[in-house]
Amino acid sequence: MSKTLLVIPHYNDADRLEPFLKNLVEVLPSHFSILVSDDGSASGQRERLNQVIGKYTSPGSESGPIVLPPHFVEKNTGKGGAVRRGWDYGEAREFSLLAFADADGAVSVTEIMRAEQHIRKNHQEVDAIFGSRVKMLGRTVTRSLKRHLSGRIFATLVSWLGNVPAYDTQCGLKILKTDTYRKIRPGMQTLGFAFDVELCLLLQASESRMIEFPIDWHDVPGSKVSLIRDSILMGIEVVRISRCVQSIQPN
């Protein structure tokens, strides 16, 4: 079976990562590889991360995933930078699918596998999957009021300022075909938390077939999101990204 690389962007979050990583190792099948892409964490956190990953780093087995050594950079760049570095690694090594999931484990291993199987089974119709926190029959979404409000503010800004036809660009689960990533990679510039918006717009501009995939979501305490600060920054970033993507589209 072709291989899938799951990248986990990480910044000073080893304590929340540890139970999630343990669950990934116990549940994911052998065609997965896991890469934690650290984004300039403090030295103490880097040591802690090495300890956590050291428990599980392995060449894989017939039944379980490969856990790769973490990637480190000295300077914090943002979530987008961490994901891109991980996906560049996967693209160079010919993984067929590239995914990322946030380090807090708010998206369960079961949901990651369900989304990954969907893109595999529908590979002729789907190039990219965006996880989406939509409350609907059969799906469970548990979020704090702060996370819910910030999510809806971000979604409104993205729709209004960037003309992005997505309900939830910021959900911490994305899966792309490697060929699709290779096609849009030259246009990717955003290093911060608006990376997901740029990804969506570039996929749209390239006429890639992307879908929003409703998932179960369970809020995990410890979010670094600031409702006011991040909403303002998101608005500025969305305008910039939208203009950049429009400038690279063919006339």
Side-chain angles (χ1 to χ4, degrees):
M1 179 182 286
S2 59
K3 301 292 185 179
T4 297
L5 178 66
L6 175 65
V7 173
I8 304 175
H10 172 271
Y11 179 65
N12 292 335
D13 211 13
D15 288 338
R16 290 203 300 174
L17 171 65
E18 183 169 15
F20 181 43
L21 182 60
K22 180 176 184 293
N23 201 9
L24 288 170
V25 171
E26 291 173 346
V27 178
L28 285 181
S30 59
H31 68 272
F32 272 87
S33 292
I34 303 167
L35 174 63
V36 177
S37 180
D38 184 74
D39 191 39
S41 292
S43 58
Q45 278 286 314
R46 291 176 62 161
E47 292 172 5
R48 173 78 178 113
L49 180 61
N50 272 323
Q51 292 173 355
V52 169
I53 295 179
K55 298 178 183 179
Y56 305 106
T57 301
S58 71
S61 67
E62 291 184 1
S63 59
I66 295 172
V67 181
L68 299 165
H71 280 191
F72 290 102
V73 292
E74 291 300 322
K75 184 178 179 181
N76 174 250
T77 59
K79 170 184 167 181
V83 174
R84 263 173 37 195
R85 288 189 293 272
W87 282 358
D88 285 349
Y89 172 91
E91 185 271 334
R93 286 155 183 80
E94 299 298 330
F95 283 87
S96 62
L97 291 174
L98 304 172
F100 89 78
D102 287 343
D104 59 6
V107 181
S108 71
V109 184
T110 301
E111 293 298 87
I112 293 170
M113 291 173 58
R114 191 170 65 86
E116 195 255 5
Q117 284 302 305
H118 185 86
I119 196 171
R120 282 185 176 274
K121 291 178 180 178
N122 299 277
H123 67 278
Q124 293 183 335
E125 293 82 32
V126 180
D127 297 318
I129 279 180
F130 277 46
S132 186
R133 295 163 290 191
V134 181
K135 285 193 174 183
M136 58 185 292
L137 187 64
R139 301 269 62 88
T140 301
V141 178
T142 306
R143 305 173 74 182
S144 69
L145 179 61
K146 175 184 174 183
R147 289 292 291 268
H148 175 72
L149 289 174
S150 63
R152 297 325 307 149
I153 290 172
F154 289 170
T156 300
L157 287 171
V158 167
S159 176
W160 179 40
L161 297 174
N163 193 29
V164 178
Y167 174 81
D168 185 13
T169 59
Q170 302 309 113
C171 178
L173 175 64
K174 308 285 189 297
I175 307 175
L176 278 69
K177 291 179 180 176
T178 301
D179 287 345
T180 301
Y181 177 67
R182 194 174 287 128
K183 182 166 57 174
I184 66 171
R185 178 62 179 86
M188 299 180 75
Q189 302 178 27
T190 301
L191 299 176
F193 54 84
F195 157 81
D196 307 76
V197 177
E198 180 182 69
L199 179 63
C200 183
L201 286 172
L202 287 170
L203 288 167
Q204 183 183 31
S206 68
E207 298 184 346
S208 298
R209 299 161 298 183
M210 58 179 176
I211 64 168
E212 287 195 275
F213 189 79
I215 60 168
D216 292 344
W217 172 281
H218 300 281
D219 221 3
V220 178
S223 171
K224 303 179 180 71
V225 173
S226 168
L227 187 58
I228 297 175
R229 180 199 65 204
D230 290 341
S231 295
I232 294 171
L233 292 174
M234 174 63 84
I236 295 170
E237 278 288 277
V238 168
V239 172
R240 182 191 66 78
I241 291 167
S242 181
R243 289 174 177 171
C244 287
V245 172
Q246 289 174 12
S247 71
I248 64 175
Q249 292 187 54
N251 294 322

